[in-house]
Amino acid sequence: MTIAISTIICVPLMLVMANAKMLGTGAALFAVVRTILFFRSGLANASMPVQQEVQMILVDKDMRPAFSAVIEIALSVVGVIDGLFTEFYLLKTQQGYANAYIIAAALYIVSGIVLILVFAKKYNRILRDSHASEESK
């Protein structure tokens, strides 16, 4: 739930970033964008300890190094594809950065909803503990 909520909370900030040019120009725009990026990265990184714990729960102790290696390789491949997509398609127009934030916001919403619908009951300790206490009564 922490990961899902933190990604969904980032969406309004990303939509403001996509439309930041309406907030002013020059130094004022720079200050607004800098502030929004600061809060968005803080919110996005707030769930990092939970994300790191999830792999410790889901993967056997002996398989954690291999799992981490596979994750790093996957992130590298996705990073290359992302860079190519950004260079050759997304940033060909001035509206490219705004489109990037809109696409990311949509992905954040979809991923947050999927996390809530698919994984919340199975892996959320708070829900699991409350259900266990209700069943013991």
Side-chain angles (χ1 to χ4, degrees):
M1 291 299 292
T2 301
I3 298 168
I5 291 169
S6 67
T7 57
I8 291 172
I9 289 174
C10 288
V11 170
L13 295 174
M14 295 174 82
L15 294 176
V16 169
M17 286 293 297
N19 299 303
K21 63 184 175 185
M22 294 187 317
L23 301 174
T25 60
L29 179 61
F30 176 74
V32 168
V33 169
R34 183 180 61 201
T35 304
I36 292 170
L37 282 173
F38 174 77
F39 283 114
R40 195 211 64 81
S41 66
L43 286 171
N45 291 331
S47 66
M48 282 302 232
V50 176
Q51 292 175 17
Q52 298 301 321
E53 182 185 2
V54 168
Q55 80 179 28
M56 298 301 156
I57 294 170
L58 298 178
V59 179
D60 291 333
K61 189 175 183 177
D62 297 337
M63 296 300 292
R64 288 179 188 159
F67 178 78
S68 294
V70 169
I71 293 296
E72 290 301 319
I73 291 169
L75 288 173
S76 299
V77 170
V78 169
V80 169
I81 294 168
D82 176 42
L84 293 172
F85 173 73
T86 301
E87 179 183 355
F88 294 117
Y89 176 72
L90 198 58
L91 299 182
K92 289 292 184 186
T93 66
Q94 281 187 317
Q95 188 65 20
Y97 282 106
N99 292 339
Y101 280 108
I102 292 169
I103 292 168
L107 290 173
Y108 273 41
I109 289 172
V110 169
S111 64
I113 291 170
V114 167
L115 286 171
I116 290 170
L117 295 178
V118 176
F119 296 107
K121 289 182 182 178
K122 187 172 183 181
Y123 295 107
N124 193 340
R125 281 191 200 153
I126 295 170
L127 292 177
R128 186 178 63 218
D129 293 345
S130 67
H131 290 302
S133 66
E134 287 175 6
E135 290 175 3
S136 66
K137 289 182 181 180

